[in-house]
Amino acid sequence: MESVSRNKRAPSDLHHLSVLIVEDNEINRVVVREMLQSDGHKVTEAFDGLQGVQQAGKRSFDLIFMDISMPVMDGRAATREIRSGSGPNATTPIIALTANAMAAEQESFLQDGMNGILTKPLSRAALRDVLNGTPAKKAAENPNLVDRAHSEETREAVGPEAFEMLLTRFAEEAESLVSWLMSGEAQGLPEIAARAHKVAGSAAVFGAIG
């Protein structure tokens, strides 16, 4: 079982993380949130295990603090759910928050997929110790969205002047589609699909095959 030591590193020494707090007790949640935010970390909150699973499925976090005893879905079940798939937090460190669990119970938390345990009431030093040992996730590199060779082939086929003219026309076509989609006028999947398909076909001409 992992233990949490104390350190005296200042907030300025800690890298800023994106943290999800899953805790049904509002007072505990507010205290942890304020401690984290005062050190510059970005905090997202969930009020029970199910909400925690839902939040964890939406975007990637650097660290998740998971209370054990919660309504709707407890922390152990929520952790198993997060670990079971290939979602954005399947491998994110999850730290259990517990008030009075026995050693055997704490061992079971780790078997559920948790990476460590913090005992309530939490101290700022304990939080900083965990945070300091959690590396921030690197932003995913943008995939190569455009096949440059294909784009250059199109340029050579139609000539530079015509290529630029067609590219301008495509940009206007794409902007028109986006504006239409955001206006609320877009109704019915067949029409949306047809217009999106047309723009996708034009994009492929310029190498945006994906």
Side-chain angles (χ1 to χ4, degrees), residues 23-31 47 67 69-70 120:
E23 166 68 76
D24 69 311
N25 185 297
E26 182 179 4
I27 294 176
N28 288 338
R29 195 171 62 247
V30 169
V31 170
F47 309 150
D67 185 34
S69 300
M70 292 182 289
K120 301 176 185 178

Side-chain angles (χ1 to χ4, degrees), residues 20-89:
L20 173 62
I21 303 172
V22 188
E23 166 68 76
D24 69 311
N25 185 297
E26 182 179 4
I27 294 176
N28 288 338
R29 195 171 62 247
V30 169
V31 170
V32 176
R33 182 189 69 206
E34 293 304 314
M35 286 182 176
L36 292 172
Q37 290 182 339
S38 67
D39 279 353
H41 302 293
K42 183 177 180 181
V43 176
T44 300
E45 300 175 56
F47 309 150
D48 58 53
L50 180 59
Q51 286 190 11
V53 171
Q54 293 170 342
Q55 290 287 357
K58 293 178 181 178
R59 54 179 291 265
S60 177
F61 294 95
D62 296 309
L63 182 66
I64 298 173
F65 286 112
M66 181 73 71
D67 185 34
I68 296 299
S69 300
M70 292 182 289
V72 185
M73 179 185 289
D74 65 29
R76 295 182 61 183
T79 297
R80 291 194 298 268
E81 183 69 21
I82 292 171
R83 294 289 189 235
S84 66
S86 57
N89 293 286

Side-chain angles (χ1 to χ4, degrees), residues 177-204:
L177 173 64
V178 172
S179 297
W180 177 68
L181 289 171
M182 296 180 66
S183 69
E185 297 176 3
Q187 294 184 2
L189 290 178
E191 183 181 8
I192 293 173
R195 294 187 62 164
H197 180 75
K198 179 181 177 182
V199 172
S202 298

